[in-house]
Structures are given as C-alpha cells and as structure tokens.
Amino acid sequence: MWPRCVLGLCLVLAAAFGYRPVVIVHGLFDSSTDFIHLLSFINQTHPGTNVSVIDLFDRSASLQPLWKQVEGFKDAIYPIMQNAADGLHLICYSQGGLVCRGILSILSDHNVHSFISLSSPQAGQYGDTDYLKYLFPQFVKSKIYHVCYTSVGQRISICNYWNDPHHKEMYVNSSDFLAVLNSERPNPNATLWKNNFLRIRKLVLIGGPDDGVITPWQSSQFGFFDTNETVVDMKNQDVFLRDTFGLKTLYGRGDLVLCSMAGVEHVMWHSNETVFTTCMEKWLT
C-alpha cells in the first residue's frame, strides 16, 4: 500500500500512473462528510487521485425527487468530466447509485470509465427497514404503495424506486423514475438513454446479504422479488432478458462485475477497507 501523500508527491504519482479522477455521490440522508474513510482508501492506494465528493442534496434534502437530484448532480459533475481528458470514475452509494444511472442515461457525451454502484437499490426497494419506519411510521411495506404510487408520493425520492412486487402494474404506471429509467413502460428516449449508458467501460455492482437496508439485498445486483417474494436473479429479470437499458449488452461485453460480501451492514460499505480493496480498488486506475 502506498504511504500517505507528502507535499507534491501525490501529484507526481498521479501523473506517472495515470489515475483518473473519481467522483463520489452519496445516498439517502447522507452528506459528503460521511466519506472520509473512502477518501483515505483511495488516496493511500492511488496517491494523487483527484477525488470529488459532491456536496448536494444532503441529509433531508436527499428526499427530493430523483430527477431533480439527477439534474443537480449532473450540473456539478459535468464540469469535472470536461476537465478529465481521459475520463473519470463514479462511485455512487445507495440511493446515489440510481442518481448516477440517471445521469449516465441522459448525458450523451459523458466519459465515465468505471461506474461503481455501492449497495444501491438498482432494481428497486421493498422492505420494512428503519428508513421506511422513519418516513412512514404508520405504514408497513405492503401498504406503502397507497402513498408511493400517487403524484404526491412521487415527490419523495424513496417512492421513485419503491417496487411493490404485488402491484407491478401500478408501479410501472406510477413510478416517475425507476420504471422510466428501466424502460419498463414506453419511453421515447429509451434507445438514446441505452446508448448513453453503454458508454461506460465497466459496471461494478456491490452488495451483500447482511446489508439490512436494501431489500432484497440482491437489488444491488439487479435481482428482485417475484410475486411470491422469491428473489429472481439479474439474468432472469425481464429488464436483462429484453436488454431494455443495456444490462445484457454489458454482460455480453464482459463489462459487468458482481462483487458480493457478507458481514457488511448498509452504513459500513464506504468505510470498510476490505470492501474497497476487494471490490473497488482495481477499477479506479
């Protein structure tokens, strides 16, 4: 492991080894200050890397609609892209992974090499977690659709990716974000967005069975519940089989990486050094 940076040594090493810049996007109820460990891991292993943790939609502001967050984060990240002649990497945690997918779908000229989705509910969320009880204390998961699948509910970020397997038609017709992003309902931009998303060089999907928040945890790797609440893995999901946004293409290219780790709780993914060295480090060159 590289020693900590001293004076200009980091810049020299970064230039010598060609480390691309890294942009980090936080998740629900987080802020940029929560990622000091991840910053340290990157700086120790890839000295001199330019790392930007975007300070937007912190804490309660992370409940704002996801398309609004996509626009805000895009406006902050795009100038970094323009200054990165050889491209950059994205590490997007939890809800931030969906924000990043939105950015990568609508930006036709992005230059992202590795998109690292760190315990993100990429296939949606359906579970009685502490987050849910905090937001909707009078509801259990089976009743949340009454709120989420309304125009009012869609103003809350978590409702943008609430995926009730018992009310699939309502999800498809009501979800303003995930169902559109997945092209699960007609989207006039589907082909363009798919081509934009496929500009990435590598998609790294990180998650694990002891997460405790992402439900099912396999959603972090595009698995999800069927109507019996049995988990169907990514390769048997309709969005993969129909390649609606490029997932199957990435798999066929050999550019889809799954990294699963047990024993990691949701809030610890970005501060666990083993997760970093096992699942992220090699994709940040």
Side-chain angles (χ1 to χ4, degrees):
M1 181 173 292
W2 289 100
R4 293 187 182 277
C5 298
V6 178
L7 298 177
L9 178 61
C10 284
L11 296 176
V12 173
L13 288 171
F17 288 94
Y19 299 131
R20 295 181 178 89
V22 175
V23 174
I24 298 172
V25 174
H26 69 74
L28 186 66
F29 298 133
D30 296 323
S31 80
S32 59
T33 59
D34 296 326
F35 292 83
I36 55 172
H37 295 290
L38 183 53
L39 276 169
S40 175
F41 300 152
I42 295 170
N43 286 329
Q44 289 179 46
T45 56
H46 296 159
T49 300
N50 184 344
V51 183
S52 302
V53 187
I54 308 301
D55 188 19
L56 285 174
F57 299 100
D58 293 357
R59 307 306 182 195
S60 61
S62 64
L63 289 169
Q64 294 188 46
L66 286 188
W67 282 123
K68 181 177 181 181
Q69 295 193 47
V70 166
E71 287 298 324
F73 278 105
K74 174 178 69 69
D75 290 346
I77 295 171
Y78 192 64
I80 303 173
M81 291 181 176
Q82 291 180 307
N83 288 322
D86 197 31
L88 54 76
H89 304 302
L90 282 180
I91 301 176
C92 308
Y93 169 63
S94 195
Q95 179 179 276
L98 291 169
V99 172
C100 289
R101 265 189 68 201
I103 294 169
L104 294 170
S105 297
I106 66 174
L107 263 185
S108 297
D109 59 344
H110 76 76
N111 56 357
V112 171
H113 278 243
S114 297
F115 167 30
I116 298 176
S117 174
L118 183 58
S119 189
S120 174
Q122 293 292 356
Q125 174 75 7
Y126 185 71
D128 288 317
T129 65
D130 289 341
Y131 287 84
L132 190 70
K133 293 170 186 175
Y134 173 76
L135 291 171
F136 306 109
Q138 298 180 6
F139 289 88
V140 292
K141 68 179 183 181
S142 61
K143 302 298 182 183
I144 292 296
Y145 77 94
H146 289 295
V147 176
C148 280
Y149 297 157
T150 65
S151 58
V152 173
Q154 288 298 301
R155 298 175 191 170
I156 305 168
S157 65
I158 191 173
C159 287
N160 290 159
Y161 50 94
W162 187 256
N163 189 354
D164 188 327
H166 307 291
H167 298 90
K168 201 68 176 180
E169 186 175 352
M170 289 185 69
Y171 154 74
V172 168
N173 292 326
S174 302
S175 172
D176 289 340
F177 186 82
L178 187 60
V180 178
L181 193 63
N182 285 347
S183 292
E184 291 176 280
R185 71 168 184 254
N187 173 12
N189 297 310
T191 300
L192 174 63
W193 287 9
K194 179 178 179 178
N195 291 337
N196 292 344
F197 185 66
L198 287 171
R199 289 175 61 87
I200 63 174
R201 304 294 180 85
K202 197 72 65 176
L203 173 59
V204 183
L205 302 172
I206 303 170
D210 300 305
D211 182 276
V213 171
I214 304 304
T215 312
W217 75 264
Q218 291 92 338
S219 178
S220 61
Q221 299 174 343
F222 286 101
F224 206 70
F225 293 128
D226 62 13
T227 54
N228 296 316
E229 296 191 29
T230 299
V231 175
V232 178
D233 69 15
M234 175 188 68
K235 287 190 283 186
N236 289 300
Q237 292 290 333
D238 186 59
V239 294
F240 181 90
L241 295 170
R242 293 194 296 120
D243 202 24
T244 57
F245 60 89
L247 203 56
K248 188 175 183 180
T249 298
L250 286 170
Y251 179 79
R253 278 177 14 192
D255 292 330
L256 178 55
V257 178
L258 306 184
C259 190
S260 305
M261 291 198 65
V264 184
E265 296 178 3
H266 188 68
V267 296
M268 301 303 294
W269 286 104
H270 49 74
S271 59
N272 186 306
E273 190 168 10
T274 302
V275 171
F276 176 78
T277 56
T278 304
C279 300
M280 290 188 266
E281 182 182 347
K282 68 182 293 186
W283 308 116
L284 297 177
T285 57

